[in-house]
Amino acid sequence: YRRSAQRFRTLASDLGGMWIKVGQFLSARVDVLPETVTSELAQLQDEVNPEAFETMQRMVEAELAMPLGSAYAWFDPAPLASASLGQVHRARLPAGDSVVVKVQRPQIDALIEVDLRALKTAVGWLKRFRAISRRADLDALLAEFSRTLWDEVDYLKEAENARRFAEMFAEDETVRIPQVHASHTTRRVLTLEDVYFIKITDYQAIEAAGIELAEVAKRVFRTYLRQIFIEGFFHADPHPGNLFVQPSDHGWRLTFVDFGLVGRLTAETKAGVRELAIGIGTRDLDRLAR
C-alpha cells in the first residue's frame, strides 16, 4: 500500500493541477483508506512545485492591466505557499497594507479539462469492481468533485465567500477572516489581508506562544458547529495549510484562509444533521436510524 501511495504521490507532484487535489482528497479519507496510504498522500499538502516568478508576474499584470510595480509597492518573488491550482505571494499595496496575493497557474482551465477527462476514464474502470461500485456512487462523486473544482478556479467566487465569512464572524473576536482588496482582485488574481501566522499543526510553536492545544481544538470544533448548525455555510477545505493561530496581547485568534471550497446546507439538512448528532450523543439508535 505504501509503495502504491508513494508512486501516486510522485506522479501527482509531476503532473500537478487536479491530480494533487485528488491526492489531498484521498489523504483525508481516513474512514476508507489505511493510515499507510493517507499519511503518504498527506505530504501533497506541502509538496507542490511552484511556477517561475516571471510566469506569475505576467499573469498578475495581464489580469490587473498594469505593471506589477504600479499595482504593488513590493511583491515577494518567492511564493509563501504553492498549491495545486495557484500560489500565494506576500506583497504590499501602494497605501502600505500588507497583503497576500493568490495567483492562478497559467492555462489551468485547459489542464483541468484534460485531467477531468482522464479521471472520468479511470472512474469507468473502477466501476467494474463490485467491491467499489456497491459502496460508492462514483459518478456522483466525480460530478461533485468537478463542480467544486471549477468553483475553486473562480477567485471572484472565493472573494465573495471570504466576504460572507467576514460578515458571519464580524462580532466574534476569537476568529479572524482576511479582508478582500477588491481593487486588486479578478477571476485569476485574489488579493487578501495578510493573516498568515502559526500553522495549526505547528504544535511546538503554539505551545511556545502560551496557547493550550486543547483550547485550539475546542475553538475549531465550536467554530465548525456554528458554521454547520447555525449558518448552514461552512469552510469545506480545513487542511492544515488553511488554518492558523494568531497570538495577541489579549489571547489568540483562530484564522481561516482559502475560501475556494465551501459547503451549503438547506434547513432540512441542518435539521437532519442535528438529529444525527443528538442520536450519537445520547446513543439513541432509533433516532440515529431515522
Short mmCIF file of all heavy atoms in Angstrom, two decimals, residues 160-188:
data_model
loop_
_atom_site.label_atom_id
_atom_site.label_comp_id
_atom_site.label_asym_id
_atom_site.label_seq_id
_atom_site.Cartn_x
_atom_site.Cartn_y
_atom_site.Cartn_z
N GLU A 160 -16.12 36.50 -2.75
CA GLU A 160 -17.46 36.65 -2.20
C GLU A 160 -17.65 35.75 -0.99
O GLU A 160 -18.26 36.13 0.01
CB GLU A 160 -18.52 36.33 -3.27
CG GLU A 160 -19.96 36.57 -2.82
CD GLU A 160 -20.19 37.97 -2.28
OE1 GLU A 160 -19.65 38.94 -2.84
OE2 GLU A 160 -20.92 38.08 -1.27
N ASN A 161 -17.11 34.52 -1.05
CA ASN A 161 -17.18 33.62 0.10
C ASN A 161 -16.46 34.22 1.31
O ASN A 161 -16.95 34.15 2.43
CB ASN A 161 -16.55 32.27 -0.25
CG ASN A 161 -17.35 31.48 -1.26
OD1 ASN A 161 -18.55 31.69 -1.43
ND2 ASN A 161 -16.69 30.57 -1.95
N ALA A 162 -15.27 34.80 1.06
CA ALA A 162 -14.49 35.41 2.15
C ALA A 162 -15.27 36.56 2.78
O ALA A 162 -15.28 36.73 4.01
CB ALA A 162 -13.14 35.89 1.63
N ARG A 163 -15.93 37.37 1.95
CA ARG A 163 -16.72 38.49 2.48
C ARG A 163 -17.88 37.98 3.34
O ARG A 163 -18.20 38.55 4.39
CB ARG A 163 -17.24 39.36 1.33
CG ARG A 163 -16.22 40.35 0.80
CD ARG A 163 -16.84 41.34 -0.16
NE ARG A 163 -17.04 40.75 -1.46
CZ ARG A 163 -16.18 40.85 -2.48
NH1 ARG A 163 -15.04 41.51 -2.31
NH2 ARG A 163 -16.45 40.31 -3.65
N ARG A 164 -18.51 36.88 2.89
CA ARG A 164 -19.63 36.33 3.67
C ARG A 164 -19.14 35.79 5.02
O ARG A 164 -19.80 36.00 6.05
CB ARG A 164 -20.33 35.22 2.88
CG ARG A 164 -21.52 34.62 3.62
CD ARG A 164 -22.34 33.70 2.75
NE ARG A 164 -23.37 33.04 3.53
CZ ARG A 164 -24.23 32.14 3.05
NH1 ARG A 164 -24.19 31.82 1.76
NH2 ARG A 164 -25.12 31.58 3.84
N PHE A 165 -17.99 35.12 5.04
CA PHE A 165 -17.43 34.64 6.30
C PHE A 165 -17.08 35.81 7.22
O PHE A 165 -17.28 35.74 8.43
CB PHE A 165 -16.20 33.77 6.05
CG PHE A 165 -16.52 32.33 5.81
CD1 PHE A 165 -16.45 31.80 4.53
CD2 PHE A 165 -16.89 31.50 6.84
CE1 PHE A 165 -16.75 30.46 4.29
CE2 PHE A 165 -17.20 30.16 6.62
CZ PHE A 165 -17.12 29.64 5.33
N ALA A 166 -16.54 36.88 6.64
CA ALA A 166 -16.19 38.06 7.45
C ALA A 166 -17.43 38.64 8.12
O ALA A 166 -17.38 39.05 9.29
CB ALA A 166 -15.51 39.11 6.57
N GLU A 167 -18.54 38.68 7.40
CA GLU A 167 -19.80 39.16 7.98
C GLU A 167 -20.28 38.23 9.09
O GLU A 167 -20.76 38.67 10.14
CB GLU A 167 -20.87 39.28 6.90
CG GLU A 167 -20.62 40.40 5.90
CD GLU A 167 -21.61 40.38 4.75
OE1 GLU A 167 -22.56 39.56 4.80
OE2 GLU A 167 -21.44 41.17 3.80
N MET A 168 -20.16 36.91 8.87
CA MET A 168 -20.61 35.92 9.86
C MET A 168 -19.88 36.08 11.18
O MET A 168 -20.47 35.96 12.26
CB MET A 168 -20.37 34.50 9.32
CG MET A 168 -21.42 34.01 8.34
SD MET A 168 -20.92 32.47 7.48
CE MET A 168 -20.28 31.44 8.80
N PHE A 169 -18.57 36.37 11.12
CA PHE A 169 -17.75 36.41 12.33
C PHE A 169 -17.34 37.83 12.71
O PHE A 169 -16.40 38.01 13.50
CB PHE A 169 -16.51 35.54 12.14
CG PHE A 169 -16.81 34.07 12.07
CD1 PHE A 169 -16.83 33.40 10.85
CD2 PHE A 169 -17.09 33.35 13.22
CE1 PHE A 169 -17.12 32.05 10.78
CE2 PHE A 169 -17.38 31.99 13.17
CZ PHE A 169 -17.40 31.34 11.95
N ALA A 170 -18.06 38.82 12.20
CA ALA A 170 -17.70 40.22 12.46
C ALA A 170 -17.72 40.55 13.95
O ALA A 170 -16.92 41.37 14.43
CB ALA A 170 -18.65 41.15 11.70
N GLU A 171 -18.63 39.94 14.71
CA GLU A 171 -18.76 40.23 16.14
C GLU A 171 -17.98 39.25 17.01
O GLU A 171 -18.01 39.35 18.24
CB GLU A 171 -20.25 40.18 16.54
CG GLU A 171 -21.16 41.07 15.72
CD GLU A 171 -20.76 42.54 15.81
OE1 GLU A 171 -20.39 42.98 16.91
OE2 GLU A 171 -20.81 43.24 14.78
N ASP A 172 -17.29 38.29 16.41
CA ASP A 172 -16.57 37.28 17.15
C ASP A 172 -15.08 37.61 17.15
O ASP A 172 -14.39 37.45 16.14
CB ASP A 172 -16.81 35.90 16.53
CG ASP A 172 -16.26 34.76 17.38
OD1 ASP A 172 -15.43 35.02 18.26
OD2 ASP A 172 -16.67 33.60 17.14
N GLU A 173 -14.55 38.06 18.27
CA GLU A 173 -13.16 38.47 18.35
C GLU A 173 -12.19 37.28 18.44
O GLU A 173 -10.97 37.47 18.41
CB GLU A 173 -12.95 39.38 19.57
CG GLU A 173 -13.70 40.71 19.45
CD GLU A 173 -13.41 41.64 20.61
OE1 GLU A 173 -12.72 41.20 21.57
OE2 GLU A 173 -13.86 42.80 20.57
N THR A 174 -12.72 36.06 18.53
CA THR A 174 -11.85 34.88 18.63
C THR A 174 -11.54 34.28 17.27
O THR A 174 -10.73 33.36 17.17
CB THR A 174 -12.50 33.80 19.52
OG1 THR A 174 -13.66 33.28 18.87
CG2 THR A 174 -12.88 34.36 20.87
N VAL A 175 -12.19 34.79 16.22
CA VAL A 175 -12.00 34.26 14.87
C VAL A 175 -11.64 35.42 13.94
O VAL A 175 -12.21 36.51 14.03
CB VAL A 175 -13.27 33.56 14.35
CG1 VAL A 175 -13.09 33.11 12.90
CG2 VAL A 175 -13.62 32.37 15.23
N ARG A 176 -10.68 35.20 13.04
CA ARG A 176 -10.27 36.25 12.10
C ARG A 176 -10.40 35.75 10.67
O ARG A 176 -9.96 34.65 10.33
CB ARG A 176 -8.83 36.67 12.37
CG ARG A 176 -8.38 37.84 11.48
CD ARG A 176 -7.04 38.37 11.88
NE ARG A 176 -6.66 39.51 11.07
CZ ARG A 176 -5.50 40.18 11.19
NH1 ARG A 176 -4.62 39.81 12.11
NH2 ARG A 176 -5.24 41.20 10.41
N ILE A 177 -11.02 36.57 9.84
CA ILE A 177 -11.17 36.31 8.41
C ILE A 177 -10.48 37.45 7.65
O ILE A 177 -10.72 38.63 7.95
CB ILE A 177 -12.67 36.25 8.01
CG1 ILE A 177 -13.44 35.28 8.90
CG2 ILE A 177 -12.81 35.89 6.53
CD1 ILE A 177 -13.03 33.84 8.79
N PRO A 178 -9.62 37.16 6.68
CA PRO A 178 -8.91 38.23 5.98
C PRO A 178 -9.83 39.11 5.13
O PRO A 178 -10.80 38.62 4.54
CB PRO A 178 -7.91 37.47 5.09
CG PRO A 178 -8.52 36.11 4.90
CD PRO A 178 -9.25 35.82 6.18
N GLN A 179 -9.49 40.39 5.09
CA GLN A 179 -10.24 41.35 4.28
C GLN A 179 -9.86 41.20 2.80
O GLN A 179 -8.69 41.02 2.46
CB GLN A 179 -9.93 42.77 4.75
CG GLN A 179 -10.53 43.87 3.89
CD GLN A 179 -9.95 45.23 4.21
OE1 GLN A 179 -9.24 45.39 5.20
NE2 GLN A 179 -10.22 46.22 3.37
N VAL A 180 -10.84 41.31 1.92
CA VAL A 180 -10.61 41.24 0.47
C VAL A 180 -10.33 42.64 -0.05
O VAL A 180 -11.04 43.59 0.27
CB VAL A 180 -11.84 40.66 -0.26
CG1 VAL A 180 -11.62 40.67 -1.77
CG2 VAL A 180 -12.15 39.25 0.23
N HIS A 181 -9.28 42.78 -0.87
CA HIS A 181 -8.99 44.06 -1.54
C HIS A 181 -9.53 43.95 -2.97
O HIS A 181 -8.87 43.45 -3.88
CB HIS A 181 -7.49 44.34 -1.53
CG HIS A 181 -6.96 44.67 -0.17
ND1 HIS A 181 -6.94 45.95 0.34
CD2 HIS A 181 -6.46 43.87 0.81
CE1 HIS A 181 -6.44 45.94 1.56
NE2 HIS A 181 -6.13 44.68 1.87
N ALA A 182 -10.77 44.43 -3.15
CA ALA A 182 -11.47 44.25 -4.42
C ALA A 182 -10.77 44.93 -5.58
O ALA A 182 -10.84 44.46 -6.72
CB ALA A 182 -12.90 44.79 -4.29
N SER A 183 -10.06 46.03 -5.32
CA SER A 183 -9.40 46.77 -6.40
C SER A 183 -8.29 45.94 -7.04
O SER A 183 -7.88 46.23 -8.17
CB SER A 183 -8.82 48.08 -5.86
OG SER A 183 -7.87 47.82 -4.84
N HIS A 184 -7.79 44.94 -6.33
CA HIS A 184 -6.69 44.11 -6.83
C HIS A 184 -7.12 42.64 -6.94
O HIS A 184 -6.31 41.74 -6.76
CB HIS A 184 -5.47 44.22 -5.91
CG HIS A 184 -4.78 45.54 -5.98
ND1 HIS A 184 -5.37 46.73 -5.60
CD2 HIS A 184 -3.52 45.87 -6.42
CE1 HIS A 184 -4.52 47.72 -5.78
NE2 HIS A 184 -3.40 47.24 -6.28
N THR A 185 -8.39 42.44 -7.25
CA THR A 185 -8.93 41.07 -7.35
C THR A 185 -9.68 40.89 -8.66
O THR A 185 -10.49 41.74 -9.05
CB THR A 185 -9.87 40.78 -6.16
OG1 THR A 185 -9.11 40.80 -4.95
CG2 THR A 185 -10.54 39.43 -6.30
N THR A 186 -9.38 39.77 -9.35
CA THR A 186 -10.08 39.39 -10.58
C THR A 186 -10.38 37.89 -10.49
O THR A 186 -10.17 37.27 -9.45
CB THR A 186 -9.21 39.66 -11.82
OG1 THR A 186 -8.11 38.73 -11.82
CG2 THR A 186 -8.66 41.08 -11.84
N ARG A 187 -10.83 37.33 -11.59
CA ARG A 187 -11.13 35.89 -11.58
C ARG A 187 -9.87 35.05 -11.36
O ARG A 187 -9.96 33.94 -10.83
CB ARG A 187 -11.77 35.49 -12.93
CG ARG A 187 -12.26 34.04 -12.94
CD ARG A 187 -12.96 33.68 -14.24
NE ARG A 187 -13.39 32.29 -14.24
CZ ARG A 187 -12.60 31.26 -14.60
NH1 ARG A 187 -11.37 31.49 -15.01
NH2 ARG A 187 -13.05 30.03 -14.56
N ARG A 188 -8.69 35.57 -11.71
CA ARG A 188 -7.46 34.78 -11.60
C ARG A 188 -6.45 35.34 -10.62
O ARG A 188 -5.39 34.74 -10.41
CB ARG A 188 -6.82 34.63 -12.99
CG ARG A 188 -7.64 33.78 -13.95
CD ARG A 188 -6.95 33.63 -15.30
NE ARG A 188 -7.64 32.68 -16.14
CZ ARG A 188 -8.69 32.97 -16.91
NH1 ARG A 188 -9.15 34.22 -16.94
NH2 ARG A 188 -9.28 32.04 -17.63
#
